[in-house]
Structure formats: structure tokens, C-alpha cells
Amino acid sequence: MEPARWLTTREEQAWRLFVAVLMLVPGEVEAQLKRDAGLTQVDYGVLSALSEAPGRAMRMNELARMVNGSRPRMSQVVAKLERRGWVRREPTREDGRGSLAVLTDAGYAQVVAIAPGHVAAVREAVVDALSPEQLDQLAGISATLLDALEARRSGSS
Amino acid sequence: MEPARWLTTREEQAWRLFVAVLMLVPGEVEAQLKRDAGLTQVDYGVLSALSEAPGRAMRMNELARMVNGSRPRMSQVVAKLERRGWVRREPTREDGRGSLAVLTDAGYAQVVAIAPGHVAAVREAVVDALSPEQLDQLAGISATLLDALEARRSGSS
DNA sequence: TCTCATAAGTTGTAGCTACAACTATATGCG
DNA sequence: CGCATATAGTTGTAGCTACAACTTATGAGA
């Protein structure tokens, strides 16, 4: 264990601001989804991913990767969406273990109905709030952070 | 209601990457705090804020602003920290309504013990993963997003 | 074929979070 | 003063999240 390397003033400032963003921005976007449709960001991600998938269907596993969630979480989320009639589950034909989450017509209609409001919220909270340069920077920073995370997970296991 | 303005490919790409960051990065940092001390990011924020406050004490209200949390949440968090012996609550002298959260000696020792590991996790997950330019960009972007949020809250109430 | 390891999903549980309702004190105004 | 309103904190509850344990199926190898 090396001696602790503290953060410089500049680094700490950046971190503090970023933490505030991490705390507040997701809440802003989720508030709209919750108000308009009683959905979570993850719920919306699932419905949205299914709506764009071939056959409007996906394996649970794939769905989990798609929305950056764990498998247990997918089970819970899909169970909830199933109770509301927006998704149904079918056994998989090729793999006896798997489940296939399928978007129902009601679920598709729901996505179509919600999407505009969600996009507007995303615009208001992030996209339109930043300059085009900042948005590009944000994309680059995000990609870098995700790569680093991925590298850490493969490397130091 | 204006017609929905969709996201361009570039905007959507940036948003998707950013959502992944919002989902994954907090979890990375919290995992370390949870592992080493059974603490949440907010818990740590509270202890840390108290440790730097004059008299190692703060009003609940002020504490809430400090860590970007709601007052109900502070009550819960401080109650938990109090059960663990790291914080105690006192009535306020000037204002009969208020509570004052005070960091105990054990709580201060806890902060001192944890801080280096936390800083190392923050470095690994964010600060050292980015170039100095990117870190500055991130600070700017975060400030912009927070300003926009603040403006929305004052303006459109 | 039999066995073991691995993978896909589910379930159970404990802890965290958000939101509304409630108590108590303080402040402003007629 | 006396009432109305606003503010500080707490509590209760419902829903979400993380993690471990479990079930079932696949696949690889003796």
C-alpha cells in the first residue's frame, strides 16, 4: 500500500461538482418518467431496448447488458413490467434455461406515448443545457471512464 | 406543446454513454466505501462535511444542502450514523426547532481511517482515468448542468 | 453415460431512497 | 395578543436496489 496521494484543489473541485451531478441529474430525468408513466430510468431503458430489438424481444441476459444492470435486477424489472401488461415472458426454444422478454402491443404503445416527453426532459436537463462542444467532450469523457472501468474489471480480477 | 424534437445521432450517442456513466460510476466508488466501512456515498459525505465544519457540527438543513440530499434523507442517514456511534444529535440553542449533528471522536477517527481509501477509489475511477484537460472539461460541464438545473428550479416553479 | 463446472434466471432479504403526513417552533401581520 | 403561514425535523410507508442463495439447464471431459 503506497502512501495516500491526496487530491489537488483543482481535482477535488472537479470531483465535488461531478458528485453533485451524479446525485441530481438522474433524479431530474427520472422525475419526468415517474410523473408521466410511473417508470424508472431502467424501466424505460428496457421498454425502449425491446421496442428496437428484432421481433421486439430479447434475452434477459442481453437486456441486462443493454441497460447496464444485473440479472437479478432484470428479473425484478421485467416482472414488474409484466404485471402491468407491457411485457410478457416466454421460454426460449434453443436454450432451456433462458427466458425471452417480449414487448406487448400495449408496451409498444406505451413507449411511443412516452418517448417524446422523455426526450424533451433529456434535452432540457442535459443536451440543450450544454454547448455542442461540451456535449462532445462529455461523450469523450464518458467513453474514457467506461473504458477504464472495463479495463479494471478484466485486469485486476 | 411543441412537436417533439428528436435527438440527433451524435446527441443520442453522448446521452447513452453518459447514462452508462451515471449507472456504473457511482456504484464503483460506493463499492469501496461499503466494503471498507459499510458506508454509503452520502454517509461518507455527511461524515466528511462534519469533520471539516467548525466545531465538527452542523445543522441538519445545512448538511442536506452540503450533500445534495433532502431533509428526510438526512434524518435517516444521521439516525443510522448515530446508532453506530459516529454522530450524535443535540437540540439547537438559538432555534428551538433545529437539531445539530455533531461528529463524535469515534466518528472523526472513522473519517481519518477511511479517507485515504476513498480518495484512492475516486482517483482510480475518475481522476486518474481522465487527462487533466478532460478533468477540467468535466468540471465545466458539471457546473453548467448544475446551473441549468438551478435556473430551472427557480424559473419554472 | 456420469459427473462436474458453468451459465441463465429467479427468489428472498436487508438496506437505501423518495415522498407524503405529521409535530413543533418561529415569524409576520392585523 | 392571536391567528395564519412558513420553516426544521422526524416518522411511516411503498418502491427500488444490491447481494447472496437457489433452481434448472448446458456443455465438457473421463
Side-chain angles (χ1 to χ4, degrees):
Chain A
M1 183 80 75
E2 305 141 20
R5 194 157 48 98
W6 200 251
L7 298 176
T8 67
T9 305
R10 171 173 295 229
E11 287 169 344
E12 188 183 346
Q13 173 75 356
W15 171 245
R16 279 175 122 86
L17 288 168
F18 187 42
V19 166
V21 166
L22 293 175
M23 294 282 193
L24 299 174
V25 169
E28 282 289 295
V29 175
E30 288 220 16
Q32 178 269 331
L33 282 172
K34 179 117 186 249
R35 220 179 327 104
D36 292 1
L39 288 178
T40 289
Q41 172 92 327
V42 175
D43 297 340
Y44 181 83
V46 167
L47 293 178
S48 169
L50 286 175
S51 77
E52 295 174 2
R56 290 178 193 164
M58 266 193 210
R59 291 287 294 270
M60 298 298 287
N61 203 4
E62 195 181 356
L63 212 43
R65 274 190 302 100
M66 207 68 175
V67 302
N68 305 302
S70 60
R71 256 163 282 170
R73 194 167 170 183
M74 281 310 102
S75 276
Q76 304 276 31
V77 169
V78 169
K80 181 179 68 177
L81 296 176
E82 196 171 30
R83 282 196 296 277
R84 298 190 188 172
W86 294 329
V87 170
R88 87 187 113 81
R89 271 183 284 197
E90 297 180 355
T92 317
R93 213 164 302 284
E94 328 83 55
D95 187 337
R97 298 168 291 186
S99 278
L100 199 66
V102 185
L103 193 65
T104 64
D105 289 345
Y108 186 74
Q110 180 73 354
V111 174
V112 171
I114 297 174
H118 176 61
V119 170
V122 169
R123 276 208 173 281
E124 192 171 26
V126 178
V127 176
D128 287 352
L130 299 175
S131 69
E133 295 76 31
Q134 284 180 311
L135 197 63
D136 285 347
Q137 291 171 0
L138 181 58
I141 289 167
S142 298
T144 303
L145 292 177
L146 295 172
D147 284 351
L149 193 156
E150 184 58 35
R152 234 171 305 135
R153 290 204 173 154
S154 338
S156 72
S157 66
Chain B
M1 183 79 79
E2 305 142 18
R5 194 158 47 102
W6 201 250
L7 298 175
T8 66
T9 305
R10 171 172 295 228
E11 286 168 346
E12 189 183 346
Q13 174 75 356
W15 171 245
R16 281 174 122 86
L17 288 168
F18 187 42
V19 166
V21 166
L22 293 175
M23 294 283 192
L24 299 173
V25 169
E28 283 289 296
V29 176
E30 287 220 16
Q32 178 269 331
L33 282 173
K34 178 117 186 248
R35 221 181 325 106
D36 293 0
L39 288 178
T40 288
Q41 173 91 311
V42 174
D43 297 340
Y44 181 82
V46 166
L47 293 178
S48 170
L50 286 175
S51 76
E52 295 173 3
R56 291 178 193 163
M58 267 193 209
R59 291 288 295 270
M60 298 297 288
N61 202 4
E62 195 181 357
L63 212 42
R65 274 191 301 101
M66 207 68 176
V67 302
N68 305 302
S70 61
R71 256 163 286 176
R73 195 167 169 181
M74 280 313 101
S75 277
Q76 304 277 28
V77 168
V78 169
K80 182 179 67 178
L81 296 176
E82 196 171 31
R83 282 195 298 276
R84 298 189 189 173
W86 294 328
V87 170
R88 88 185 114 80
R89 271 181 286 196
E90 297 179 354
T92 316
R93 212 165 303 283
E94 326 84 56
D95 187 337
R97 300 167 289 185
S99 278
L100 199 68
V102 186
L103 192 65
T104 64
D105 290 346
Y108 186 74
Q110 179 73 355
V111 173
V112 171
I114 297 174
H118 177 61
V119 169
V122 169
R123 276 209 173 280
E124 193 171 26
V126 177
V127 175
D128 287 351
L130 299 175
S131 69
E133 294 77 30
Q134 283 180 312
L135 197 63
D136 284 348
Q137 291 171 0
L138 181 58
I141 289 166
S142 297
T144 303
L145 292 177
L146 295 172
D147 283 352
L149 192 156
E150 184 57 36
R152 234 172 305 134
R153 289 201 175 157
S154 339
S156 73
S157 64

